Amino acid sequence: MIRVTSAVAIFACCIVNARTVAQVADASTARPNIVFIMSDDHGKQAISCYGATAAPGTITTPGIDRLAREGIRFDRASVTNAICGPSRAVMLTGKHSHANGFATNDQKFDSAQQTFPKLLRAAGYRTEVIGKWHLESDPTGFDHFDVLVGQGDYWNPTFIVDGTRTKREGHATDIIHANAIERLRTLAPAAMGGAPFALLVHHKAPHRNWMPQPKFYTLFADVKIPEPATLFDRWEGRTIASSMQTMQIDRDLTWEYDLKVAAGRLFRAADGTRKPKLDSVAPWMVRELQQMPGSAQAAFEAAYGEENAALAKRIESLTPRKEASWKFQRYAKDYLRTAQGVDDSVGAILDELDRLGLAANTIVVYTSDQGWFLGEHGWFDKRWMYEESFRMPLLVRWPGVVQPGVTSRALVQNLDFAPTFLEAARVAVPVDMQGKSLVPLLSEARPANDATFRDAVYYRFEEAKGPHTVPRHEGVATERFKLIRFLDLVDRESGGALIEVYDLERDPDELRSIGNDPASAEVRAALLARLEELRVAYGVESAPIAP
Ligand code: SGN
Ligand code: CA
């Protein structure tokens, strides 16, 4: 690791040549600023530089696309644990969940531990975080923090500003964005003078319950979002694991909270089959809707009222499949509308960096705390190691270092953020960090480094008792294959854990596990062996199962 050395000290040595001195002097005064923008639950299917596969040609995300044009787009980036708090803990520490101690959303992050913001701060960076935090303990290692309480509300949310609670009026995306701009303006003069900063901007959107800013209420009103081919998936060809979830669009979305339909008025309570799931709408869920200011409620009624009334007329005659299609449209549009606000924010942050003269010496990252199911396999939510939630968007712009418009298929993870930012800031990466710096993938030597960066990644989801009832699992993914082992589900035949194996080249949608195919026995054994190696390398406890 390169140490930041003052030009004066180097001159004193007299032995180095003039060119080296000039380079070091330049570099030492110009450590890059870092603007890390992370949203909550933004899948690549909803981003146009990734093809916007959910609705090609309909979804446009010019803000994020600009980062792809001017920087690098990672196509196979993945998380180590596809859930909010744990993903954030991994990002901060550069360690897997079991090593940083925060594996499920109901835990409390040990804020005394080492994080990259603390190390940057010790090295002279000014560090700040704004927006969603969701780690239960207050942020540490930041000169300034302004974060949402817990999940945070969309409307009139309460923030914790350097330890003090403050309720603000308005929509979370607007408030967090305005804060980001205000912080950039405040930080710019010192940064231009050579005092770098790291600003973490964490949007709440497009998290459930997908409440858009009113300016997006009518976006996509006249289009039909294509239904994913697997919207009515019943998970044949896989283990029973998929059927255990409660994240189905047809069954588990609630009328009021998720779909924003006044179900109480729509349905006859006496009708058993049509009875709204009112009992599953917790009071705090309803509160989110009630918190909407009057003007937003009026705009909402104007935009959604007619469609809701039309549904009310038809609902008795809708087949379950048609009802699911209706739910999908409402859900997908609200999700995309909410995500549009994030893209606007990204674009405006890039514009502001230009205006402030900071763009040339600032690394900008866009990512999400994990991916998302936008109807694929019939689901909303995340958690699974399946592609949609396992992969997240990742774009990095670093003028002068990253060549504009390149892409990478390297197996990078959110585990790698911490070492990357440290190396970029020329701070030594502690040996106990488990990620790898992405800096070698950002330079001109990238193509050669891509292939050798990492041959396999380790994944582990622990929150079996949380919402959506996804069973605990761990797994290994290589360039071509993926093995998922369900930790608490027993294979009756072998007596071992249930295992799924996918050939991502032949079966990119993961529709048929080849885990028990005799012809794939070698692949399965090799993946299990690699899984075991990774468990040892990362210090994962508990006995492995026999192959
Ligand atoms: C809440 C959501 C779930 C979501 C988890 C985790 N329910 O419980 O749908 O999976 O958060 O999300 S909701 O009623 O709040 O909408 S995470 O982003 O924090 O991991
Ligand atoms: Ca999330």
Side-chain angles (χ1 to χ4, degrees):
M1 205 51 43
I2 308 162
R3 283 240 165 240
V4 179
T5 319
S6 84
V8 177
I10 291 174
F11 270 116
C13 295
C14 306
I15 310 167
V16 287
N17 68 38
R19 197 164 161 267
T20 314
V21 171
Q23 274 177 348
V24 172
D26 271 347
S28 65
T29 52
R31 288 185 297 165
N33 306 302
I34 297 163
V35 175
F36 178 81
I37 311 170
M38 179 161 68
S39 57
D40 197 345
D41 298 355
H42 201 188
K44 293 196 297 181
Q45 323 85 300
I47 299 177
S48 43
C49 62
Y50 280 106
T53 52
T58 299
I59 301 166
T60 48
T61 51
I64 298 168
D65 292 1
R66 182 176 166 195
L67 280 178
R69 238 181 9 256
E70 298 177 359
I72 181 167
R73 188 190 77 207
F74 286 95
D75 288 348
R76 309 201 76 200
S78 63
V79 291
T80 64
N81 185 355
I83 184 131
C84 182
S87 166
R88 288 152 207 268
V90 169
M91 179 272 289
L92 289 167
T93 60
K95 294 178 184 171
H96 276 278
S97 303
H98 66 271
N100 69 45
F102 193 96
T104 62
N105 266 343
D106 56 9
Q107 290 174 321
K108 187 170 181 171
F109 183 66
D110 168 13
S111 61
Q113 70 185 296
Q114 166 186 286
T115 62
F116 84 80
K118 285 184 186 170
L119 296 167
L120 286 184
R121 195 175 180 212
Y125 268 69
R126 172 147 181 120
T127 55
E128 303 199 353
V129 59
I130 58 177
K132 185 156 171 181
W133 179 248
H134 207 201
L135 289 171
E136 203 58 37
S137 52
D138 278 0
T140 54
F142 295 94
D143 292 293
H144 170 61
F145 64 87
D146 188 339
V147 297
L148 286 165
V149 176
Q151 287 281 6
D153 295 327
Y154 269 112
W155 284 102
N156 304 338
T158 300
F159 290 82
I160 311 174
V161 186
D162 298 325
T164 306
R165 289 191 175 218
T166 315
K167 194 172 169 75
R168 296 197 177 102
E169 301 220 328
H171 187 282
T173 302
D174 291 327
I175 297 169
I176 294 166
H177 176 71
N179 268 348
I181 298 296
E182 191 268 324
R183 293 320 302 159
L184 286 176
R185 289 179 184 164
T186 305
L187 293 165
M192 294 302 279
F197 65 82
L199 174 65
L200 279 50
V201 180
H202 296 177
H203 275 293
K204 170 185 169 65
H207 191 271
R208 191 181 184 191
N209 64 336
W210 319 294
M211 297 196 70
Q213 294 138 284
K215 64 180 171 185
F216 295 123
Y217 282 168
T218 54
L219 182 68
F220 309 121
D222 301 325
V223 298
K224 189 167 184 256
I225 306 298
E227 290 182 357
T230 57
L231 182 59
F232 297 99
D233 197 351
R234 281 301 172 261
W235 321 292
E236 279 154 25
R238 283 149 276 176
T239 69
I240 55 153
S242 287
S243 60
M244 295 171 67
Q245 46 64 41
T246 41
M247 53 171 75
Q248 279 170 235
I249 289 182
D250 58 358
R251 185 191 61 194
D252 301 315
L253 287 172
T254 59
W255 284 108
E256 275 91 351
Y257 177 64
D258 294 314
L259 300 166
K260 305 164 191 86
V261 169
R265 277 188 278 134
L266 269 186
F267 301 90
R268 279 185 286 122
D271 180 348
T273 55
R274 290 288 183 211
K275 206 170 162 193
K277 297 212 300 186
L278 275 176
D279 49 352
S280 67
V281 183
W284 67 269
M285 288 180 165
V286 176
R287 195 195 62 198
E288 178 87 48
L289 295 172
Q290 286 169 344
Q291 293 217 117
M292 284 168 85
S295 59
Q297 282 188 14
F300 179 83
E301 194 51 38
Y304 290 64
E306 211 177 299
E307 205 175 76
N308 284 0
L311 172 73
K313 280 200 194 123
R314 287 169 62 218
I315 190 75
E316 299 290 343
S317 59
L318 281 186
T319 61
R321 202 175 171 105
K322 287 228 165 89
E323 185 178 307
S325 290
W326 192 96
K327 287 176 172 173
F328 171 74
Q329 289 301 318
R330 171 60 59 88
Y331 153 69
K333 288 180 184 181
D334 275 348
Y335 174 88
L336 295 171
R337 289 166 181 150
T338 310
Q340 205 69 46
V342 173
D343 186 70
D344 265 18
S345 171
V346 173
I349 287 173
L350 296 179
D351 290 346
E352 190 64 24
L353 289 170
D354 289 338
R355 246 192 310 275
L356 294 168
L358 290 172
N361 194 36
T362 299
I363 299 173
V364 181
V365 175
Y366 179 75
T367 191
S368 172
D369 64 343
Q370 79 295 296
W372 184 253
F373 294 99
L374 198 44
E376 298 87 358
H377 301 302
W379 297 337
F380 61 95
D381 212 70
K382 55 263 180 174
R383 295 157 194 272
W384 298 98
M385 197 194 173
Y386 300 132
E387 290 292 280
E388 290 80 1
S389 54
F390 175 54
R391 311 276 177 201
M392 84 283 194
L394 175 58
L395 303 117
V396 183
R397 185 182 77 173
W398 188 359
V401 176
V402 174
Q403 288 169 273
V406 295
T407 61
S408 167
R409 285 182 58 78
L411 302 183
V412 305
Q413 292 203 285
N414 59 344
L415 192 63
D416 304 325
F417 288 133
T420 303
F421 295 142
L422 292 175
E423 185 174 353
R426 286 179 228 111
V427 176
V429 179
V431 287
D432 63 345
M433 278 195 178
Q434 298 179 319
K436 282 177 81 173
S437 166
L438 304 180
V439 171
L441 302 181
L442 303 178
S443 69
E444 274 176 41
R446 177 191 53 83
N449 294 335
D450 248 26
T452 53
F453 183 73
R454 194 180 263 138
D455 75 316
V457 300
Y458 177 71
Y459 180 90
R460 188 171 177 116
F461 173 78
E462 286 283 345
E463 201 183 284
K465 295 211 176 69
H468 306 299
T469 56
V470 169
R472 293 194 315 137
H473 57 286
E474 67 173 0
V476 57
T478 64
E479 166 66 24
R480 178 167 171 188
F481 295 100
K482 184 188 290 179
L483 179 143
I484 305 175
R485 180 171 93 115
F486 292 96
L487 297 154
D488 305 318
L489 307 182
V490 178
D491 183 344
R492 285 212 196 112
E493 272 176 36
S494 70
L498 273 189
I499 285 178
E500 294 179 354
V501 176
Y502 295 98
D503 180 342
L504 299 173
E505 208 173 280
R506 294 208 181 139
D507 180 20
D509 295 332
E510 298 164 312
L511 297 177
R512 207 182 81 75
S513 167
I514 55 169
N516 289 329
D517 287 5
S520 304
E522 261 178 49
V523 170
R524 175 184 156 126
L527 289 168
L528 274 175
R530 193 72 189 98
L531 176 65
E532 188 48 31
E533 280 167 17
L534 291 177
R535 289 168 55 99
V536 171
Y538 289 130
V540 184
E541 280 171 26
S542 93
I545 51 143

